[in-house]
Amino acid sequence: MIRSALALGLLVVLAGDADAYVRTRSSHGTGNPSAWPGTCVFVMPDSAGSPDLPSDQVFSIIQKSMANWNTNGCSYLQLMYDQPTVHDAHYDGTNVIKFRTDKWCHPIDPQNTPEVCYSEQAAAITSVFMINDGEPADGTILDADIEVNNLNFTFVVITPGATPPVPRIGTSIADLENTLTHELGHLQGLSHTCKDAASFPNDVDENGNPPPSCDAIPADEVLKIKEATMYNFASPGETIKRSPTDDDLAGICNAYPVAKNPNMCTHTDLAKLTQRGGCELGAFRDAAPFGVPALLLALAFALRLRRRHRDCT
Ligand SMILES: [Zn+2]
């Protein structure tokens, strides 16, 4: 990782201007902001890709979406691309991008019993697992998976100014890079820029204040909140979220400032990260990750292992 004095200067500028990012937090007390423990986060596409685009193009767009965050110049975190493999989304230390084509539900696993299905309005869901025990490692992200709704959405490449491709019947159109760049923001620990029914109680902005309601954004904050990559909603075929704004990047730089680079670039070792006092704890005891299903708040207590973000168009 090469960071120059110029990059550090950029960080100062970005931090000074920052005004519209929200970091995902644990649920202990007022919550600790979440962050990955290492310098790198490996992300792997499921090799099945999407039926909407050639696989090579899907994988290329995934890499482009990752690069949209990596080129920020002010944080140490690097999203690293793992070669596509047959893999589903589970809490297993492997961060997967999985296109759902049979049903818009998470497969049953120890964290999802019974099966959890998502809103048809959600183009994608990112589940972030983090330590939630109030100890020093509280908020450490252990695993994050992106599930993409290929049942209700047709994923395309929008060319600004050109006629958009025609979606499959009964589906909405979505620019894949636009969708994935947003979801990768969640994967890194960012939450949405305004508060809606799916927001988490501990969400606060960079000043420690609850973000404004999406239905009542102050006039002087409308642009920065709605034009951010981490804005809650997307319109069909939009591409604005491909480019993280200065505020989005300020959130990443707040979480991963170059001065605190742990210089540790490895794949996730869940056993090591959930170890306490020389005794490894079970994955679902007090060192367990937690989450609240953003879509289904009524199930929050039954499902305490998932944290999801929905993205509506
Ligand atoms: Zn989202």
Side-chain angles (χ1 to χ4, degrees):
M1 312 287 276
I2 299 172
R3 291 290 179 268
S4 65
L6 178 62
L8 288 171
L10 179 61
L11 172 62
V12 171
V13 172
L14 290 175
D17 289 344
D19 207 13
Y21 69 78
V22 178
R23 290 180 59 190
T24 306
R25 289 172 176 261
S26 72
S27 69
H28 267 264
T30 56
N32 281 316
S34 63
W36 287 92
T39 303
C40 306
V41 178
F42 290 85
V43 178
M44 185 179 77
D46 170 50
S47 55
S50 164
D52 295 334
L53 295 165
S55 289
D56 284 352
Q57 191 171 17
V58 169
F59 303 148
S60 172
I61 292 169
I62 288 173
Q63 292 175 77
K64 174 67 167 53
S65 303
M66 294 165 68
N68 291 343
W69 290 102
N70 282 346
T71 53
N72 65 59
C74 64
S75 84
Y76 63 77
L77 193 72
Q78 291 289 299
L79 300 178
M80 307 284 281
Y81 183 76
D82 267 341
Q83 288 303 312
T85 306
V86 177
H87 206 95
D88 210 327
H90 297 294
Y91 169 63
D92 59 3
T94 299
N95 311 307
V96 177
I97 298 178
K98 172 73 176 176
F99 290 81
R100 297 263 175 243
T101 56
D102 52 354
K103 52 183 177 178
W104 185 218
C105 304
H106 187 88
I108 292 175
D109 61 22
Q111 293 79 43
N112 293 275
T113 303
E115 184 178 61
V116 175
C117 294
Y118 308 133
S119 165
E120 294 182 355
Q121 292 183 311
I125 296 278
T126 298
S127 301
V128 177
F129 295 80
M130 71 184 76
I131 293 174
N132 188 48
D133 61 2
E135 299 294 321
D138 190 44
T140 300
I141 301 176
L142 303 171
D143 181 293
D145 299 308
I146 296 172
E147 297 172 84
V148 185
N149 179 359
N150 227 152
L151 288 96
N152 304 107
F153 290 83
T154 300
F155 290 94
V156 300
V157 177
I158 295 288
T159 302
T163 304
V166 178
R168 284 178 283 110
I169 294 173
T171 69
S172 298
I173 204 164
D175 179 75
L176 182 57
E177 184 181 338
N178 191 77
T179 301
L180 289 178
T181 304
H182 175 92
E183 298 305 323
L184 288 164
H186 288 316
L187 176 140
Q188 294 172 93
L190 294 183
S191 197
H192 289 143
T193 53
C194 61
K195 202 171 185 62
D196 64 19
S199 293
F200 303 105
N202 280 337
D203 277 358
V204 291
D205 65 16
E206 75 288 354
N207 296 316
N209 302 315
S213 164
C214 298
D215 296 326
I217 301 173
D220 63 343
E221 295 186 22
V222 167
L223 278 183
K224 63 191 172 194
I225 286 178
K226 289 193 169 184
E227 293 189 352
T229 290
M230 297 318 295
Y231 180 52
N232 313 39
F233 305 100
S235 52
E238 72 156 44
T239 58
I240 192 173
K241 290 181 175 60
R242 290 177 179 177
S243 303
T245 64
D246 286 354
D247 285 345
D248 292 309
L249 298 179
I252 297 298
C253 294
N254 178 269
Y256 310 101
V258 287
K260 294 188 177 178
N261 189 345
N263 290 307
M264 177 185 71
C265 183
T266 60
H267 284 79
T268 301
D269 184 341
L270 283 183
K272 184 178 178 184
L273 287 170
T274 56
Q275 203 170 45
R276 291 287 184 280
C279 301
E280 184 186 336
L281 299 174
F284 310 113
R285 299 179 66 185
D286 65 347
F290 96 107
V292 179
L295 284 170
L296 304 166
L297 293 176
L299 296 177
F301 294 104
L303 291 171
R304 294 182 52 82
L305 295 168
R306 283 254 162 184
R307 190 172 184 96
R308 296 198 174 95
H309 293 274
R310 71 173 176 182
D311 298 296
C312 303
T313 60

